[in-house]
Amino acid sequence: MGPAELVQAAAMARRFYLEGKSKIQIAEEFGVSRFKVARVLETALERDLVRIEIRVPAELDAERSDALRARYGLRHAVVVESPAEGEETSPDPENLGETAADLLGELVSEGDVLGLAWGRSTIHMAAALDRLPPCTVVQLTGVYDAGTAERGSVEAVRRAAQVSGGEAHPIYAPMLLPDPATAAALRNQTGIARAFEYFDKVTVAAVSIGSWEPGISTVHDMLTDEERAHYASLGVAAEMSAHLFDAEGRRVGRDLGERCITVEADRLRRIPEVVAIAGGQRKAAAIDAVLRSGLVTSLVTDTAAADFLLNETGPKPRPALDRADPDGI
Protein backbone atom coordinates (compact mmCIF):
# COMPACT_ATOMS: atom_id res chain seq x y z
CA MET A 1 0.00 0.00 0.00
CA GLY A 2 1.28 3.44 -0.95
CA PRO A 3 1.11 6.42 1.41
CA ALA A 4 -2.22 7.64 0.01
CA GLU A 5 -3.73 4.19 0.37
CA LEU A 6 -2.37 3.87 3.90
CA VAL A 7 -3.83 7.21 4.93
CA GLN A 8 -7.20 6.35 3.41
CA ALA A 9 -7.23 2.88 4.99
CA ALA A 10 -6.39 4.38 8.39
CA ALA A 11 -9.19 6.93 8.04
CA MET A 12 -11.72 4.29 7.02
CA ALA A 13 -10.63 2.03 9.87
CA ARG A 14 -10.99 4.88 12.34
CA ARG A 15 -14.52 5.59 11.11
CA PHE A 16 -15.50 1.91 11.29
CA TYR A 17 -13.80 0.66 14.47
CA LEU A 18 -13.66 3.76 16.64
CA GLU A 19 -16.55 5.94 15.48
CA GLY A 20 -18.96 3.10 14.78
CA LYS A 21 -19.92 4.22 11.27
CA SER A 22 -21.33 1.67 8.83
CA LYS A 23 -19.58 0.64 5.62
CA ILE A 24 -22.30 2.40 3.62
CA GLN A 25 -21.74 5.67 5.51
CA ILE A 26 -17.98 5.38 4.97
CA ALA A 27 -18.48 4.67 1.26
CA GLU A 28 -20.63 7.78 0.85
CA GLU A 29 -18.06 9.94 2.66
CA PHE A 30 -15.12 8.76 0.53
CA GLY A 31 -17.05 8.41 -2.73
CA VAL A 32 -16.37 4.69 -3.20
CA SER A 33 -18.49 1.52 -3.11
CA ARG A 34 -19.18 -0.27 0.17
CA PHE A 35 -17.45 -3.30 -1.36
CA LYS A 36 -14.23 -1.30 -1.67
CA VAL A 37 -14.61 -0.19 1.93
CA ALA A 38 -14.90 -3.85 2.95
CA ARG A 39 -11.76 -4.74 0.96
CA VAL A 40 -9.81 -1.84 2.47
CA LEU A 41 -10.79 -2.83 6.01
CA GLU A 42 -9.84 -6.43 5.31
CA THR A 43 -6.48 -5.35 3.91
CA ALA A 44 -5.91 -3.10 6.93
CA LEU A 45 -6.25 -6.15 9.16
CA GLU A 46 -4.00 -8.29 6.96
CA ARG A 47 -1.27 -5.62 6.85
CA ASP A 48 -1.43 -5.12 10.64
CA LEU A 49 -2.58 -1.53 10.18
CA VAL A 50 -5.45 -2.41 12.50
CA ARG A 51 -5.09 -4.72 15.48
CA ILE A 52 -8.15 -6.15 17.20
CA GLU A 53 -7.55 -7.19 20.79
CA ILE A 54 -10.21 -8.92 22.86
CA ARG A 55 -9.64 -8.25 26.53
CA VAL A 56 -11.50 -9.53 29.55
CA PRO A 57 -10.55 -9.10 33.21
CA ALA A 58 -7.38 -11.02 34.01
CA GLU A 59 -9.17 -13.37 36.40
CA LEU A 60 -11.55 -14.62 33.67
CA ASP A 61 -10.43 -17.23 31.14
CA ALA A 62 -12.55 -16.56 28.06
CA GLU A 63 -11.07 -19.35 25.94
CA ARG A 64 -11.64 -22.10 28.50
CA SER A 65 -15.09 -20.67 29.29
CA ASP A 66 -16.23 -20.92 25.68
CA ALA A 67 -14.71 -24.37 25.20
CA LEU A 68 -16.41 -25.66 28.35
CA ARG A 69 -19.75 -24.18 27.32
CA ALA A 70 -19.50 -25.91 23.94
CA ARG A 71 -18.36 -29.30 25.30
CA TYR A 72 -21.25 -29.65 27.75
CA GLY A 73 -23.86 -27.68 25.84
CA LEU A 74 -24.28 -25.18 28.69
CA ARG A 75 -26.06 -21.84 28.51
CA HIS A 76 -23.24 -20.11 30.40
CA ALA A 77 -19.80 -21.28 31.52
CA VAL A 78 -17.51 -18.89 33.38
CA VAL A 79 -13.98 -20.03 34.22
CA VAL A 80 -11.84 -18.02 36.63
CA GLU A 81 -8.17 -18.43 37.46
CA SER A 82 -7.48 -20.98 40.18
CA PRO A 83 -5.70 -19.65 43.27
CA ALA A 84 -1.94 -20.05 43.19
CA GLU A 85 -0.68 -23.19 44.89
CA GLY A 86 -0.64 -22.70 48.62
CA GLU A 87 -2.83 -19.60 48.56
CA GLU A 88 -6.19 -21.34 48.92
CA THR A 89 -6.94 -24.12 51.37
CA SER A 90 -10.75 -24.12 51.10
CA PRO A 91 -12.38 -26.57 48.64
CA ASP A 92 -14.65 -23.69 47.61
CA PRO A 93 -12.50 -20.68 46.67
CA GLU A 94 -14.19 -17.38 47.47
CA ASN A 95 -13.47 -15.94 44.02
CA LEU A 96 -15.95 -18.44 42.54
CA GLY A 97 -18.67 -17.00 44.75
CA GLU A 98 -17.75 -13.46 43.76
CA THR A 99 -17.95 -14.30 40.06
CA ALA A 100 -21.22 -16.19 40.58
CA ALA A 101 -22.65 -13.12 42.34
CA ASP A 102 -21.86 -11.02 39.26
CA LEU A 103 -23.43 -13.68 37.01
CA LEU A 104 -26.63 -13.74 39.07
CA GLY A 105 -26.78 -9.98 38.71
CA GLU A 106 -27.01 -10.60 34.95
CA LEU A 107 -29.38 -13.57 34.99
CA VAL A 108 -32.00 -12.50 37.53
CA SER A 109 -34.78 -10.22 36.30
CA GLU A 110 -37.38 -8.28 38.23
CA GLY A 111 -40.14 -10.57 39.47
CA ASP A 112 -38.02 -13.73 39.31
CA VAL A 113 -37.88 -16.28 42.13
CA LEU A 114 -34.28 -17.05 43.11
CA GLY A 115 -33.55 -20.37 44.79
CA LEU A 116 -30.40 -20.93 46.89
CA ALA A 117 -29.23 -24.39 47.94
CA TRP A 118 -26.90 -25.03 50.88
CA GLY A 119 -23.19 -24.92 50.09
CA ARG A 120 -20.07 -23.00 51.01
CA SER A 121 -19.84 -21.63 47.46
CA THR A 122 -23.43 -20.33 47.51
CA ILE A 123 -22.77 -18.74 50.90
CA HIS A 124 -19.66 -17.00 49.48
CA MET A 125 -21.80 -15.90 46.51
CA ALA A 126 -24.53 -14.41 48.68
CA ALA A 127 -21.97 -12.52 50.77
CA ALA A 128 -20.55 -10.99 47.57
CA LEU A 129 -23.90 -9.87 46.13
CA ASP A 130 -24.14 -6.12 45.64
CA ARG A 131 -26.93 -5.91 43.05
CA LEU A 132 -30.07 -7.88 42.28
CA PRO A 133 -33.34 -6.79 40.70
CA PRO A 134 -36.41 -7.02 42.98
CA CYS A 135 -37.11 -10.75 43.37
CA THR A 136 -38.29 -13.36 45.85
CA VAL A 137 -35.57 -15.53 47.40
CA VAL A 138 -36.29 -19.05 48.63
CA GLN A 139 -34.06 -21.61 50.34
CA LEU A 140 -33.92 -24.92 48.45
CA THR A 141 -32.40 -27.14 51.15
CA GLY A 142 -32.15 -27.43 54.87
CA VAL A 143 -28.92 -26.44 56.58
CA TYR A 144 -25.84 -28.51 57.32
CA ASP A 145 -26.35 -27.93 61.01
CA ALA A 146 -29.35 -26.06 62.46
CA GLY A 147 -26.95 -24.43 64.93
CA THR A 148 -25.05 -22.72 62.11
CA ALA A 149 -28.12 -21.34 60.32
CA GLU A 150 -27.29 -17.74 61.12
CA ARG A 151 -24.02 -17.89 59.22
CA GLY A 152 -25.11 -20.44 56.63
CA SER A 153 -27.83 -20.81 54.02
CA VAL A 154 -30.49 -19.01 56.06
CA GLU A 155 -28.26 -15.95 56.20
CA ALA A 156 -27.50 -16.33 52.49
CA VAL A 157 -31.21 -16.18 51.69
CA ARG A 158 -31.66 -13.15 53.94
CA ARG A 159 -28.67 -11.41 52.36
CA ALA A 160 -29.92 -11.98 48.79
CA ALA A 161 -33.39 -10.76 49.74
CA GLN A 162 -31.92 -7.67 51.41
CA VAL A 163 -29.93 -6.80 48.28
CA SER A 164 -32.93 -7.33 46.00
CA GLY A 165 -35.51 -5.77 48.30
CA GLY A 166 -37.70 -8.86 47.88
CA GLU A 167 -39.26 -11.44 50.18
CA ALA A 168 -37.16 -14.12 51.87
CA HIS A 169 -38.38 -17.67 52.49
CA PRO A 170 -35.74 -19.47 54.58
CA ILE A 171 -35.93 -23.03 55.88
CA TYR A 172 -35.14 -23.43 59.57
CA ALA A 173 -34.40 -27.14 59.55
CA PRO A 174 -31.44 -29.50 59.15
CA MET A 175 -30.80 -30.90 55.70
CA LEU A 176 -30.48 -34.51 56.90
CA LEU A 177 -32.86 -36.12 59.40
CA PRO A 178 -32.57 -39.45 61.27
CA ASP A 179 -35.40 -41.11 59.34
CA PRO A 180 -38.01 -40.47 56.59
CA ALA A 181 -40.86 -39.99 59.11
CA THR A 182 -39.09 -37.11 60.87
CA ALA A 183 -38.28 -35.50 57.50
CA ALA A 184 -41.90 -35.84 56.35
CA ALA A 185 -43.18 -34.27 59.57
CA LEU A 186 -40.85 -31.29 59.16
CA ARG A 187 -41.88 -30.77 55.53
CA ASN A 188 -45.46 -30.31 56.76
CA GLN A 189 -44.54 -27.57 59.22
CA THR A 190 -46.00 -24.23 58.16
CA GLY A 191 -42.81 -22.28 57.43
CA ILE A 192 -41.10 -25.15 55.62
CA ALA A 193 -44.23 -26.04 53.65
CA ARG A 194 -44.51 -22.39 52.55
CA ALA A 195 -40.94 -22.47 51.21
CA PHE A 196 -41.64 -25.76 49.39
CA GLU A 197 -44.65 -24.13 47.71
CA TYR A 198 -42.24 -21.73 45.98
CA PHE A 199 -40.07 -24.49 44.51
CA ASP A 200 -42.23 -24.76 41.37
CA LYS A 201 -41.99 -20.97 40.92
CA VAL A 202 -38.19 -20.77 41.01
CA THR A 203 -36.79 -19.32 37.77
CA VAL A 204 -33.08 -19.12 38.69
CA ALA A 205 -31.28 -21.38 41.17
CA ALA A 206 -27.74 -21.51 42.53
CA VAL A 207 -26.35 -24.84 43.74
CA SER A 208 -23.09 -26.31 44.98
CA ILE A 209 -21.42 -29.61 44.04
CA GLY A 210 -19.51 -31.98 46.31
CA SER A 211 -17.23 -34.95 45.69
CA TRP A 212 -17.87 -38.07 47.74
CA GLU A 213 -15.04 -37.58 50.20
CA PRO A 214 -14.51 -35.97 53.61
CA GLY A 215 -14.60 -32.18 53.66
CA ILE A 216 -15.80 -31.93 50.04
CA SER A 217 -19.40 -33.08 50.56
CA THR A 218 -21.41 -31.93 53.54
CA VAL A 219 -23.80 -34.87 53.11
CA HIS A 220 -20.87 -37.29 53.22
CA ASP A 221 -19.71 -35.70 56.47
CA MET A 222 -23.18 -35.97 58.05
CA LEU A 223 -23.46 -39.75 57.55
CA THR A 224 -22.12 -42.61 59.61
CA ASP A 225 -19.17 -44.69 58.39
CA GLU A 226 -21.54 -47.53 57.58
CA GLU A 227 -23.83 -45.27 55.55
CA ARG A 228 -20.90 -43.77 53.64
CA ALA A 229 -19.65 -47.24 52.75
CA HIS A 230 -23.14 -48.24 51.58
CA TYR A 231 -23.52 -45.29 49.21
CA ALA A 232 -19.93 -45.66 48.01
CA SER A 233 -20.76 -49.25 47.04
CA LEU A 234 -23.51 -47.88 44.79
CA GLY A 235 -20.89 -45.95 42.81
CA VAL A 236 -21.63 -42.45 44.08
CA ALA A 237 -19.25 -39.93 42.52
CA ALA A 238 -20.94 -36.62 43.30
CA GLU A 239 -23.48 -34.94 45.52
CA MET A 240 -25.64 -31.88 44.88
CA SER A 241 -28.37 -30.67 47.22
CA ALA A 242 -28.41 -34.10 48.93
CA HIS A 243 -28.90 -35.93 45.61
CA LEU A 244 -26.25 -38.52 44.77
CA PHE A 245 -24.91 -39.28 41.27
CA ASP A 246 -22.66 -41.89 39.71
CA ALA A 247 -19.97 -40.97 37.17
CA GLU A 248 -22.49 -41.03 34.31
CA GLY A 249 -24.83 -38.58 36.03
CA ARG A 250 -27.40 -41.21 37.04
CA ARG A 251 -28.98 -40.80 40.45
CA VAL A 252 -28.10 -43.42 43.05
CA GLY A 253 -29.05 -43.89 46.69
CA ARG A 254 -32.46 -42.28 46.25
CA ASP A 255 -33.52 -43.48 49.68
CA LEU A 256 -31.27 -40.78 51.16
CA GLY A 257 -33.58 -38.12 49.73
CA GLU A 258 -36.44 -39.42 51.85
CA ARG A 259 -34.51 -38.32 54.94
CA CYS A 260 -33.59 -34.90 53.57
CA ILE A 261 -35.13 -31.46 53.43
CA THR A 262 -34.29 -30.51 49.87
CA VAL A 263 -35.75 -29.61 46.49
CA GLU A 264 -36.61 -32.72 44.50
CA ALA A 265 -34.50 -33.54 41.43
CA ASP A 266 -37.54 -33.39 39.12
CA ARG A 267 -38.30 -29.89 40.34
CA LEU A 268 -34.69 -28.84 39.80
CA ARG A 269 -34.91 -30.12 36.23
CA ARG A 270 -37.89 -27.85 35.56
CA ILE A 271 -36.13 -24.68 36.80
CA PRO A 272 -35.19 -22.68 33.68
CA GLU A 273 -31.73 -21.66 34.92
CA VAL A 274 -29.69 -23.71 37.40
CA VAL A 275 -26.19 -22.35 38.05
CA ALA A 276 -23.68 -24.71 39.65
CA ILE A 277 -20.72 -23.20 41.50
CA ALA A 278 -17.77 -25.52 42.07
CA GLY A 279 -14.07 -25.73 41.26
CA GLY A 280 -10.75 -27.34 42.04
CA GLN A 281 -9.16 -30.61 40.95
CA ARG A 282 -10.74 -32.52 43.83
CA LYS A 283 -14.21 -31.63 42.58
CA ALA A 284 -13.57 -31.94 38.85
CA ALA A 285 -14.89 -35.49 38.39
CA ALA A 286 -17.93 -34.66 40.52
CA ILE A 287 -18.64 -31.59 38.37
CA ASP A 288 -18.51 -33.79 35.26
CA ALA A 289 -21.01 -36.22 36.82
CA VAL A 290 -23.47 -33.49 37.78
CA LEU A 291 -23.23 -31.81 34.36
CA ARG A 292 -24.21 -35.18 32.84
CA SER A 293 -27.31 -35.36 35.08
CA GLY A 294 -29.30 -32.83 33.08
CA LEU A 295 -30.05 -30.77 36.19
CA VAL A 296 -27.64 -27.89 35.55
CA THR A 297 -27.73 -25.28 32.77
CA SER A 298 -24.74 -23.07 33.68
CA LEU A 299 -21.44 -23.40 35.55
CA VAL A 300 -19.01 -21.16 37.41
CA THR A 301 -15.70 -22.97 37.92
CA ASP A 302 -11.94 -22.48 37.85
CA THR A 303 -9.08 -23.36 35.53
CA ALA A 304 -8.04 -26.44 37.55
CA ALA A 305 -11.45 -28.07 37.13
CA ALA A 306 -11.89 -26.78 33.57
CA ASP A 307 -8.65 -28.41 32.41
CA PHE A 308 -9.85 -31.77 33.72
CA LEU A 309 -13.30 -31.37 32.16
CA LEU A 310 -11.92 -30.34 28.77
CA ASN A 311 -9.50 -33.28 28.72
CA GLU A 312 -12.09 -35.84 29.88
CA THR A 313 -11.84 -38.92 27.67
CA GLY A 314 -15.11 -40.53 28.73
CA PRO A 315 -18.29 -40.61 26.61
CA LYS A 316 -19.21 -37.20 25.25
CA PRO A 317 -21.97 -35.73 27.43
CA ARG A 318 -25.37 -34.84 26.07
CA PRO A 319 -25.98 -31.08 25.86
CA ALA A 320 -26.88 -29.85 29.33
CA LEU A 321 -29.66 -27.69 27.92
CA ASP A 322 -31.49 -30.83 26.77
CA ARG A 323 -32.18 -31.39 30.51
CA ALA A 324 -32.25 -35.12 29.70
CA ASP A 325 -32.49 -37.55 32.62
CA PRO A 326 -29.79 -40.26 32.24
CA ASP A 327 -32.06 -42.67 34.13
CA GLY A 328 -34.70 -42.26 31.44
CA ILE A 329 -32.41 -43.06 28.52
Side-chain angles (χ1 to χ4, degrees):
M1 298 176 76
E5 290 176 311
L6 283 171
V7 170
Q8 184 184 65
M12 288 183 176
R14 178 174 294 278
R15 304 291 194 280
F16 185 73
Y17 291 108
L18 299 182
E19 298 176 10
K21 291 188 176 180
S22 70
K23 293 174 184 175
I24 293 176
Q25 289 174 315
I26 298 169
E28 290 176 350
E29 179 182 347
F30 287 86
V32 297
S33 70
R34 62 185 176 88
F35 301 106
K36 180 173 181 178
V37 172
R39 287 195 300 272
V40 170
L41 292 174
E42 185 177 342
T43 301
L45 283 171
E46 292 173 351
R47 300 292 180 85
D48 210 25
L49 186 63
V50 172
R51 296 181 183 180
I52 297 176
E53 184 177 8
I54 300 172
R55 303 184 67 180
V56 295
E59 66 272 14
L60 295 181
D61 192 310
E63 185 175 352
R64 284 185 176 93
S65 297
D66 189 56
L68 201 58
R69 179 200 56 76
R71 171 169 171 75
Y72 286 91
L74 294 159
R75 183 172 290 117
H76 304 284
V78 182
V79 178
V80 303
E81 287 292 333
S82 298
E85 188 174 351
E87 286 187 5
E88 183 61 68
T89 58
S90 169
D92 298 282
E94 292 191 20
N95 62 334
L96 292 185
E98 294 166 1
T99 300
D102 290 338
L103 180 60
L104 277 194
E106 292 182 52
L107 299 181
V108 176
S109 300
E110 183 173 352
D112 275 345
V113 177
L114 172 62
L116 299 182
W118 196 97
R120 284 178 289 261
S121 56
T122 52
I123 291 171
H124 290 325
M125 179 204 68
L129 283 171
D130 59 12
R131 62 185 176 94
L132 271 182
C135 64
T136 299
V137 186
V138 60
Q139 193 169 322
L140 296 179
T141 65
V143 298
Y144 173 50
D145 180 348
T148 64
E150 287 302 314
R151 56 184 184 276
S153 46
V154 169
E155 181 56 32
V157 169
R158 287 175 173 167
R159 167 66 182 169
Q162 179 184 32
V163 173
S164 74
E167 295 181 2
H169 294 275
I171 293 178
Y172 295 96
M175 180 189 294
L176 180 66
L177 281 304
D179 53 70
T182 304
L186 276 177
R187 291 189 201 103
N188 289 326
Q189 287 189 357
T190 303
I192 298 174
R194 186 177 299 115
F196 267 64
E197 288 174 359
Y198 273 91
F199 287 177
D200 287 328
K201 302 174 185 177
V202 174
T203 50
V204 180
V207 299
S208 297
I209 295 173
S211 300
W212 198 245
E213 57 179 299
I216 311 296
S217 164
T218 51
V219 172
H220 176 282
D221 293 345
M222 286 189 282
L223 298 173
T224 65
D225 290 340
E226 183 179 355
E227 289 170 329
R228 291 170 192 154
H230 165 67
Y231 291 117
S233 72
L234 300 179
V236 59
E239 174 263 318
M240 179 182 72
S241 301
H243 300 296
L244 309 182
F245 306 88
D246 67 11
E248 300 302 318
R250 295 183 293 259
R251 290 182 60 210
V252 296
R254 297 185 182 220
D255 60 305
L256 181 65
E258 297 174 5
R259 297 169 49 195
C260 293
I261 303 297
T262 186
V263 60
E264 299 94 328
D266 289 342
R267 278 175 156 172
L268 266 177
R269 201 181 305 280
R270 293 195 295 269
I271 296 174
E273 182 74 84
V274 179
V275 180
I277 313 162
Q281 289 184 335
R282 294 176 67 185
K283 284 192 176 184
I287 296 170
D288 177 66
V290 171
L291 292 181
R292 292 173 184 273
S293 74
L295 296 178
V296 169
T297 59
S298 297
L299 174 69
V300 177
T301 190
D302 61 8
T303 51
D307 285 342
F308 174 93
L309 296 170
L310 291 172
N311 292 314
E312 238 301 286
T313 57
K316 184 174 174 59
R318 291 191 60 170
L321 292 180
D322 285 355
R323 312 304 292 274
D325 185 350
D327 292 326
I329 298 175

